[in-house]
Amino acid sequence: MTTRGNGRTTGHRVAVIGAGYVGLPTAATLARFGHSVVLAERDLAKLETLRRGLSPIVEQDLDELIAGGVASGNLSFTESAVEAVKGARFVFLCVPTPQSSDGSADLSFVEAAAKEVAAHLATGAIVVNKSTVPVGSATFVEQVIGRSDVSVVSNPEFLREGSAVLDSLNPDRIVVGSDDTQAAAKVGELFATTAAPLIVTDATTSETIKYASNAFLATKLSFVNALAGLCEEVGADARDVLLGLGYDKRIGFEFLRPGPGWGGSCLPKDTSALLHIAKEAGYDFSLLAGAIASNDEQLARVIGKVEQMCGGSVTGVTLGVWGLTFKANTDDRRESPSLQITGRLTELGATVQAFDPTVDAEAEPREDLRGLQLRADPYEAAAGARALVVLTEWDEFRWLDFSRVLALMAEPCIVDARNLLDPSAVRRMGFRYTGLGRQ
Ligand code: UDX
């Protein structure tokens, strides 16, 4: 492994395959770094939006970054992956790796993309696995491509949705792994204008770093959520307990907020995948299995709080819900704890009136929102409700007119699964309030 700091970069021809949550910020960032980037996306509606210099996903500052890339001439788009890779020195695979039924990562999109472009890659091109892929995938992609002049490098992304632009312009670290060390180092040089430390390692280690990072974050959150539960039992204030923890620099304040459980497109999928990898390798990773089980318990704990607030049962009860995305500042609802909780509440016989700033209540109901009564604003969601459940930490919820909310609700009850509101302020107004780990 070698580590290196700053360096200089000259523009390279780069292809990025897939304009999703990873490919889009990656392409726009590489264009900003001075590379000439062609982004391939099959979805024609998405492509049209991109060509207008707009982002097809809700992501802070991404519109500006895309528009800047287009205006500079460094960023262009095509429907064809084959077209994108023509003459490219680097080809980033940023296609989805969804979870298979056995918990492992499904590599079919990676395989299909590699197969499609294999014969069209420039001599000496470097293919970069940016998607989160199982340990050993670099070798798999090498075999699919089947060309001795082409190297495959693992370069995992660590982008958080909602701050993907910030994260990709100012990464904490760049990890590149390959059995061809020179190729790995060349991929690292693409990011040389950042101040991030570069870790050059082998492909297996690089792939493991990605899973290890997300599994560690998930474990940290499971610990935090369980701790909040313990605080309730012993009468401690989780907020102060976590403050006391966070000031220890070895622990830090990041990822220390209790919530309804961790979700999103990465943490659940990657923890399951790592558990699967461990099992295949004959390694008993019971700690990680415990973190996953603890996350399910957290969902149940929140549902229990709602039931308790409604006198023991939600059957036949109308509930108001604020927030459907898996966290704030994104429109992503994949593996959203909010949807898992609202789904179970509906199964238990509740009528759920939900509002989320990124969900258009008038639009065609989408499959994942089936069973929910979508409302156009947070007040409508609260109207007539026996209890209000805050499930996503959208900042705008803090600044609503709570006297109006109070007047609209059937009962003045709030379950705040994000500890977003000020308990004493809402209690003073007459609400019954319960959060996580606070009295
Ligand atoms: C994550 C990783 O952070 C990122 O490095 C990786 O590349 C992709 O997966 P993301 O899925 O965007 O990013 O979400 P993240 O911000 O990590 O949040 C994950 C989940 O944890 C969300 O459900 C969020 O609400 C929850 N969370 C996060 C908490 O409940 N409390 C916290 O303090 C932080």
Side-chain angles (χ1 to χ4, degrees):
M1 182 196 87
T2 51
T3 338
R4 143 176 101 46
N6 253 339
R8 284 163 64 86
T9 183
T10 51
H12 287 285
R13 243 302 263 119
V14 176
V16 175
I17 315 297
Y21 287 94
V22 173
L24 206 42
T26 300
T29 303
L30 287 168
R32 166 68 76 83
F33 291 162
H35 306 294
S36 170
V37 183
V38 181
L39 174 56
E41 172 55 51
R42 280 209 181 126
D43 183 323
L44 295 181
K46 254 191 188 177
L47 205 59
E48 182 51 35
T49 310
L50 288 167
R51 286 192 169 130
R52 284 189 283 125
L54 297 172
S55 166
I57 54 172
V58 173
E59 190 61 66
Q60 202 175 2
D61 302 330
L62 191 53
D63 274 331
E64 288 84 343
L65 202 62
I66 292 170
V70 172
S72 70
N74 275 349
L75 182 59
S76 60
F77 311 100
T78 173
E79 187 191 344
S80 156
V82 167
E83 202 56 45
V85 304
K86 278 189 187 151
R89 177 98 178 82
F90 299 90
V91 175
F92 282 74
L93 301 181
C94 299
V95 293
T97 46
Q99 190 175 325
S100 310
S101 50
D102 64 357
S104 66
D106 171 359
L107 275 183
S108 55
F109 292 101
V110 173
E111 183 178 2
K115 258 191 193 141
E116 186 184 356
V117 299
H120 306 276
L121 293 167
T123 307
I126 297 173
V127 173
V128 186
N129 270 347
K130 196 83 182 164
S131 310
T132 303
V133 286
V135 176
S137 294
T139 313
F140 171 70
V141 172
E142 254 163 36
Q143 283 163 357
V144 172
I145 291 173
R147 281 180 48 177
S148 57
D149 64 319
V150 171
S151 302
V152 177
V153 174
S154 155
N155 169 225
E157 54 82 21
F158 301 101
L159 311 177
R160 289 163 303 172
E161 289 178 28
S163 52
V165 169
L166 193 75
D167 290 347
S168 65
L169 289 175
N170 310 289
D172 288 343
R173 75 294 209 190
I174 303 287
V175 176
V176 282
S178 180
D179 302 332
D180 178 349
T181 310
Q182 281 191 351
K186 279 178 192 152
V187 174
E189 278 166 22
L190 291 173
F191 304 92
T193 47
T194 74
L198 175 69
I199 297 173
V200 182
T201 185
D202 60 87
T204 300
T205 305
S206 171
E207 288 158 351
T208 305
I209 287 171
K210 174 59 197 272
Y211 283 119
S213 300
N214 277 349
F216 183 81
L217 292 170
T219 306
K220 188 175 183 185
L221 285 178
S222 280
F223 181 86
V224 163
N225 287 334
L227 193 69
L230 175 76
C231 286
E232 287 172 19
E233 298 306 322
V234 301
D237 184 329
R239 195 166 168 273
D240 287 348
V241 169
L242 292 166
L243 206 60
L245 252 68
Y247 275 116
D248 185 326
K249 289 192 186 66
R250 294 167 301 174
I251 298 173
F253 283 108
E254 298 281 333
F255 264 66
L256 225 51
R257 282 176 289 112
W262 37 267
S265 65
C266 290
L267 263 51
K269 167 171 81 75
D270 293 353
T271 45
S272 295
L274 187 57
L275 202 58
H276 182 84
I277 289 167
K279 204 168 155 194
E280 295 271 287
Y283 180 77
D284 179 12
F285 206 157
S286 55
L287 176 66
L288 187 58
I292 295 170
S294 174
N295 201 42
D296 286 335
E297 286 164 21
Q298 186 65 2
L299 299 176
R301 214 173 283 143
V302 171
I303 291 164
K305 279 174 181 285
V306 179
E307 288 178 316
Q308 208 182 351
M309 195 55 112
C310 296
S313 164
V314 293
T315 310
V317 162
T318 297
L319 298 169
V321 162
W322 287 354
L324 294 170
T325 52
F326 82 99
K327 64 174 184 180
N329 305 320
T330 173
D331 58 351
D332 196 349
R333 298 192 301 267
R334 287 175 293 172
E335 298 294 320
S336 172
S338 176
L339 289 186
Q340 292 172 45
I341 289 169
T342 49
R344 287 198 213 168
L345 289 169
T346 318
E347 277 164 25
L348 289 167
T351 298
V352 176
Q353 307 178 157
F355 167 76
D356 185 281
T358 64
V359 175
D360 179 357
E362 299 301 319
E364 283 289 298
R366 318 244 178 81
E367 190 55 31
D368 64 335
L369 302 177
R370 217 153 37 109
L372 301 181
Q373 313 274 319
L374 297 179
R375 295 291 183 262
D377 68 48
Y379 300 106
E380 280 188 27
R386 172 78 176 72
L388 178 65
V389 192
V390 181
L391 290 176
T392 311
E393 74 283 21
W394 288 99
D395 192 56
E396 63 192 80
F397 296 155
R398 285 177 209 268
W399 314 111
L400 295 170
D401 177 354
F402 280 89
S403 52
R404 187 171 160 204
V405 175
L406 185 78
L408 284 166
M409 290 184 68
E411 296 284 340
C413 299
I414 298 177
V415 177
D416 182 359
R418 291 285 184 170
N419 285 352
L420 187 73
L421 309 176
D422 177 350
S424 42
V426 290
R427 280 190 185 125
R428 261 198 312 275
M429 297 184 72
F431 283 101
R432 277 179 63 209
Y433 173 93
T434 181
L436 300 177
R438 26 164 60 170
Q439 302 304 311

